């Protein structure tokens, strides 16, 4: 898959859709799981060359069922301590890995000056809810404990994710609040699925149901792969939007795409945070598809990068340098 940047932000969506159509990219809902993983992998061909960073480190952290892969991006030296940003990739809970977001996170590290730890997790349907959410929380706990070793400030933790990874990031924040775990200064949620797709009441699920790559049918399938039990799908760790209370969660930057079924539920999540006293900022990317964060040459990605850079700068550490991090009881068990 080869693409080149369109001239205007409003043409991002149509440009990418045309490129996918020309190259015979099938619909997400029609592919079986192995095909889906190959399709998501093909997106890497459209991401361009990797931007250099000062250092890339491959490591592992303990998870509930074994070691979880982590790729750490360390940008060049800057004055003062650097935040640790723990990131979870997307892929409908069933596809993707740390390679999928490599190009985007290199740029994010250089733009924000944060040390970025990109954490993998077990995929559905082989591992269904709550397994991936447990992996994400275990990774957050383990990486927070290793912040100083990774060159970051232990008191300045940020959690972020894209698509299904944003769902896991939100769930990890909720579990950390419930269990007294790491206290992020900020959560950054990029096109997050936060409520079950079946019978989803939000207008964008009707308005953007078809024709924009990430369809309603695709989201229904992804939710069925991840949480096949309808009752479990209403657990706030599976569907963070369905929680009764949002007080105490970290401040949020929520980035949405104009042409995405998930747009309205993500923006509602920010509204509920604000209702319960949690600062939240929504930035909708005009003309963008759900996958905009995976295509660094697009206008929407560059715009999102500026919003993230500003939010990271505006949310200081939650603990002074050297302050001990909370322990995560049973996170990797």
């Amino acid at each position: 898959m080869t693409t080149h940047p369109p001239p205007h932000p409003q043409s991002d969506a149509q440009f990418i859709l045309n490129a996918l159509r020309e190259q015979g990219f099938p619909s997400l809902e029609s592919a079986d799981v192995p095909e889906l993983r190959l399709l998501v992998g093909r997106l890497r061909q459209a991401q361009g060359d990797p931007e250099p960073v000062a250092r890339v480190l491959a490591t592992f952290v303990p998870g509930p069922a074994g070691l979880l892969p982590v790729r750490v991006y360390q940008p060049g030296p800057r004055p003062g301590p650097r935040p640790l940003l723990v990131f979870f990739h997307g892929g409908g809970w069933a596809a993707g890995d740390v390679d999928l977001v490599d190009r985007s996170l290199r740029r994010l590290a250089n733009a924000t000056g944060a040390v970025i730890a990109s954490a993998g997790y077990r995929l559905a349907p082989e591992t269904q809810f709550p397994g991936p959410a447990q992996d994400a929380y275990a990774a957050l706990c383990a990486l927070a404990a290793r912040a100083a070793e990774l060159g970051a400030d232990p008191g300045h933790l940020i959690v972020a994710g894209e698509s299904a990874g944003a769902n896991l990031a939100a769930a990890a924040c909720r579990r950390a609040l419930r269990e007294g775990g790491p206290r992020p200064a900020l959560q950054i949620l990029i096109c997050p699925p936060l409520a079950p797709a079946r019978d989803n009441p939000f207008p964008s699920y009707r308005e953007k149901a078809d024709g924009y790559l990430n369809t309603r049918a695709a989201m229904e399938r992804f939710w069925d792969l991840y949480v096949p039990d309808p009752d479990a799908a209403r657990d706030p760790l599976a569907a963070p939007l369905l929680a009764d209370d949002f007080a105490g969660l970290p401040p949020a930057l929520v980035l949405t795409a104009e042409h995405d079924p998930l747009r309205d539920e993500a923006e509602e999540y920010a509204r509920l945070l604000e209702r319960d006293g949690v600062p939240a900022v929504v930035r909708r990317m005009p003309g963008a598809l759900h996958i905009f964060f995976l295509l660094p040459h697009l206008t929407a990605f560059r715009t999102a990068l500026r919003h993230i850079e500003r939010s990271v700068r505006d949310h200081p550490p939650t603990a002074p340098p050297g302050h001990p991090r909370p322990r995560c009881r049973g996170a990797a068990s």
Side-chain angles (χ1 to χ4, degrees):
M1 176 181 171
T2 304
T3 65
H4 300 284
H8 303 295
Q10 290 292 347
S11 66
D12 275 4
Q14 196 57 53
F15 180 84
I16 296 300
L17 290 171
N18 289 342
L20 294 173
R21 192 176 301 113
E22 290 169 4
Q23 295 175 44
F25 201 88
S27 63
L28 295 178
E29 62 267 27
S30 68
D32 61 26
V33 170
E35 290 172 332
L36 175 66
R37 291 171 180 170
L38 289 174
L39 291 176
V40 170
R42 283 175 59 187
L43 288 172
R44 300 188 194 106
Q45 302 171 27
Q47 294 175 330
D49 295 329
E51 185 171 283
V53 295
R55 186 185 182 204
V56 179
L57 170 68
T59 187
F60 294 90
V61 294
L67 296 177
L68 302 170
V70 177
R71 186 176 297 170
V72 180
Y73 302 88
Q74 296 176 333
R78 294 194 182 188
R82 298 185 291 188
L84 175 65
L85 190 154
V86 178
F87 193 96
F88 301 105
H89 67 80
W93 299 283
D97 52 25
V98 296
D99 283 337
L100 179 63
V101 288
D102 176 80
R103 304 301 195 260
S104 300
L105 296 188
R106 287 169 177 268
R107 297 194 181 206
L108 186 60
N110 286 333
T112 61
V115 174
I116 296 181
S118 178
Y121 50 90
R122 291 170 292 167
L123 298 177
E126 294 89 346
T127 302
Q128 295 175 325
F129 177 80
Q134 292 171 338
D135 288 355
Y137 184 63
L140 178 66
C141 289
L143 289 165
R146 292 177 58 183
E149 170 197 337
L150 299 175
D153 176 4
H156 198 176
L157 179 66
I158 297 168
V159 63
E162 185 266 339
S163 190
N167 168 284
L168 299 179
C173 288
R174 176 159 291 279
R175 186 171 170 190
L177 173 65
R178 186 181 71 191
E179 299 183 12
R183 184 183 167 199
L186 176 67
Q187 54 179 318
I188 302 171
L189 309 181
I190 304 166
C191 298
L194 299 170
R198 294 194 182 278
D199 302 316
N200 189 293
F202 290 98
S204 57
Y205 252 87
R206 299 189 302 273
E207 297 166 5
K208 309 297 179 180
D210 294 294
Y212 295 102
L213 183 63
N214 186 40
T215 65
R216 181 181 191 125
M219 287 309 309
E220 289 177 348
R221 181 155 180 264
F222 294 149
W223 273 96
D224 288 346
L225 289 170
Y226 179 46
V227 202
D229 180 350
D231 291 333
R234 301 191 65 81
D235 187 315
L237 294 182
L241 186 64
L242 303 187
D244 294 327
D245 182 24
F246 298 81
L249 288 169
L253 170 65
V254 180
L255 299 174
T256 64
E258 178 184 356
H259 301 303
D260 185 6
L262 305 177
R263 182 194 69 205
D264 292 351
E265 70 189 57
E267 295 177 3
E268 174 68 3
Y269 183 76
R271 189 192 71 79
L272 292 174
L273 287 171
E274 287 275 353
R275 180 201 67 187
D276 289 349
V278 178
V281 173
V282 172
R283 293 290 181 258
R284 183 187 293 184
M285 301 298 107
L289 296 173
H290 177 79
I291 61 170
F292 76 83
F293 190 76
L294 303 179
L295 300 170
H297 56 278
L298 293 185
T299 301
F301 176 88
R302 295 192 295 269
T303 302
L305 201 60
R306 290 194 294 271
H307 291 310
I308 295 172
E309 182 182 9
R310 186 176 305 115
S311 287
V312 170
R313 185 177 63 244
D314 291 347
H315 288 83
T318 53
H323 188 274
R325 300 300 305 172
R327 298 182 63 85
C328 296
R329 297 181 297 276
S333 62

